[in-house]
Structures are given as C-alpha cells and as structure tokens.
C-alpha cells in the first residue's frame, strides 16, 4: 500500500533489491530477497545466528558479490543504477560519499593507530575537505555529538572502551552526511548498559538526520527502537516482512512467533 502510494506520488525508492541470492558452495547464504527502501526509512533485518543477515547486508553494500539479483541505488548523478554492475571506481566513490557501513566490531571500521580526530577527519578529506582548521572543528563537533569529550580528540581508539570505539565509528561514518547507512549488529558485543546508551544515541541521530538505514541484528530491542519496517530471515529466506510494531506485536510466521517469544534469543 505504502509503496504504491509513494510511487503514485512520483517518489522513487532509494534502494531497490530484486531477487538477490548468494550461496557458499551448496549452502544457502541468502536467496530470493526483494524489497524497496524509501528515503528516510530504517529497515531492520532480524533472524537467529546463521539466518543470512550478514550475507545479505554485505551483498547489499557491495562487499560481497551475489550470485543473482540486482541492487539498484538512486544515485545523485545518474538516477537508479545497478550497484553490482557499476564500475569499481564508481562503487568506491559511493562507499566514500552516499553510503556508510557501521561494522559490528569497531576495529573493522576504524583505523586503530590514527587519532580519534584523524579517524573522523579522514572521511572528510576523502570527499575533498582540505582546510585543516575546518576539518578539526568538524571532527570535534562530531565527537561531541557522539559524546566523546574534546580532550580525547588526539587519543587513538586503541585507548578507548568498546562503547567509545563504536561511537567513534558512528561519527566517522556520519560526518560526511551519507544517504544510506548499513549497520551490522551495531550494539553487539557491548555491555547491556553501554548498549542502551548507544541505542539512544543512534535513535537521536537517525531521527535528527532523517537517515535511511538498513540495520542487521539478532536483538529485537534494537529494531523495536530504530526500525520502521522489518524483514525476518530464516535459513537464508525472508519469511516475514511488515511494519516493525505489526511484526513484533502480531507475528504471522511461526518462526517470527518463536523469535518474538524469545525462545530463540540468547
Ligand atoms: N564465508 C562463508 N563460507 C561458507 N559459509 C558461510 C560463510 N559465511 C556465512 N556462511 C553460511 O551462510 C549462512 C548465513 O550466514 P550469515 O550470513 O553469517 O548469517 P547471520 O549473519 O544471520 O548469522 C550460514 O549457514 C553460514 O554458516
Ligand atoms: Mg551476522
């Protein structure tokens, strides 16, 4: 319904995924995945460990080559373009500008031997910022937005706690104003109290910036707070989709019912 209404209103999706599939030998990573993501929308992908969430996210973000399907992105310059067939340099450019990727393990998304300010500033320089003072000011501003004190700007992330590293990774990713953010278990592996604070921060940023995002998690509390819509995955298949509250409060598929009743949660 929503999709039709938006199409009739002349709006186009930011991302259109058609028949995406990825196998590892005989094993299914993910298969028959199709959906549209609209501007400003946050999509949650949930499912137990091994259900194909990371495989799907990596295929969407151009980090893993799928075996079949298309991933169309509404580029600024050329409109809807299949990101799987675009040139390597065009895809790299997307990764530096319109796309951002928040990894589960902050060290995969940070340069651990570069200062916190440098980690944020580097993204700005990658899109052409040159004035040192401006870059440093903007970096400090973003550290503040993710609640990292200014006097830590010259410290390396190796000296930070897990929660601080993750907040730094978020600042590094959002500083350039991406149009689509991919996140893989952004709160995974952190202490519960640290998770709550990070989630709160993320929710504020998502709302404030009107971010479009795809968030993979096995933690339903994360999508309850952040996602407008959900895709539920099991054994590589999407078994249920819908508005977050609808799926969580009135799950239709037996697997989603199990997931929600927390039987499968650890
Ligand atoms: N590099 C790989 N090689 C072989 N099998 C893999 C690889 N990565 C994932 N898989 C398999 O693909 C399926 C989906 O895994 P994954 O996407 O990591 O799920 P999730 O992120 O939901 O835990 C699982 O059966 C997993 O064992
Ligand atoms: Mg995973």
């Amino acid at each position: 319904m929503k999709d039709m209404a938006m199409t009739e209103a002349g709006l186009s999706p930011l991302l259109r995924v058609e028949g995406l599939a990825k196998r590892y030998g005989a094993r299914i990573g993910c298969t028959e995945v199709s959906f549209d993501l609209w501007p400003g929308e946050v999509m949650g992908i949930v499912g137990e460990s091994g259900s194909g969430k990371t495989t799907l996210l990596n295929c969407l973000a151009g980090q893993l080559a799928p075996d079949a399907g298309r991933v169309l992105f509404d580029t600024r310059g050329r409109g809807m373009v299949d990101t799987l067939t675009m040139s390597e340099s065009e895809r790299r450019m997307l990764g530096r500008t319109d796309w951002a990727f928040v990894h589960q393990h902050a060290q995969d998304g940070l340069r651990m031997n570069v200062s916190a300010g440098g980690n944020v500033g580097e993204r700005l320089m990658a899109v052409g910022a040159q004035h040192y003072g401006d870059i440093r000011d903007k970096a400090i501003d973003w550290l503040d937005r993710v609640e990292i004190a200014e006097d830590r700007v010259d410290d390396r992330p190796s000296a930070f706690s897990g929660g601080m590293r993750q907040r730094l990774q978020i600042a590094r990713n959002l500083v350039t104003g991406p149009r689509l953010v991919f996140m893989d278990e952004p709160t995974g592996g952190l202490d519960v109290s640290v998770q709550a604070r990070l989630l709160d921060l993320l929710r504020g940023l998502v709302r404030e910036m009107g971010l479009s995002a795809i968030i993979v998690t096995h933690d339903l509390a994360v999508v309850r707070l952040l996602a407008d819509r959900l895709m539920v995955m099991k054994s590589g298949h999407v078994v249920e989709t819908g508005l977050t509250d609808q799926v969580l409060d009135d799950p239709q598929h037996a697997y989603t019912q199990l997931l929600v009743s927390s039987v499968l949660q650890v």
Side-chain angles (χ1 to χ4, degrees), residues 44-161:
I45 301 176
V46 298
E48 66 187 326
S49 178
S51 57
K53 306 181 299 294
T54 295
T55 299
L56 173 57
L57 192 74
N58 288 341
C59 287
L60 295 176
Q63 307 205 343
L64 188 64
D67 304 321
R70 302 206 299 166
V71 178
L72 302 161
F73 180 70
D74 187 10
T75 61
R76 295 183 208 222
R78 296 201 284 132
M80 279 298 201
V81 177
D82 187 350
T83 62
L84 303 174
T85 55
M86 69 173 40
S87 72
E88 188 56 40
S89 68
E90 202 176 356
R91 192 165 338 130
R92 259 203 311 273
M93 191 59 178
L94 257 190
R96 281 204 299 266
T97 55
D98 279 348
W99 285 8
F101 198 108
V102 176
H103 295 266
Q104 172 174 3
H105 303 290
Q107 65 264 29
D108 295 335
L110 290 174
R111 296 230 282 147
M112 296 304 279
N113 294 315
V114 170
S115 70
N119 264 284
V120 179
E122 191 176 52
R123 279 281 291 198
L124 289 168
M125 287 188 278
V127 295
Q130 286 178 345
H131 188 272
Y132 176 78
D134 292 347
I135 293 170
R136 191 174 168 89
D137 287 351
K138 200 154 184 198
I140 289 171
D141 178 47
W142 263 94
L143 291 182
D144 182 55
R145 291 180 75 167
V146 298
E147 299 165 9
I148 294 174
E150 181 171 346
D151 65 4
R152 303 302 300 266
V153 65
D154 294 319
D155 292 352
R156 293 172 182 195
S158 47
F160 286 0
S161 68

Side-chain angles (χ1 to χ4, degrees), residues 145 198-210 226:
R145 291 180 75 167
L198 185 69
L199 208 50
D200 218 42
L201 181 82
L202 265 178
R203 180 163 66 159
L205 289 170
V206 163
R207 289 197 176 156
E208 207 175 291
M209 300 175 74
L226 292 178

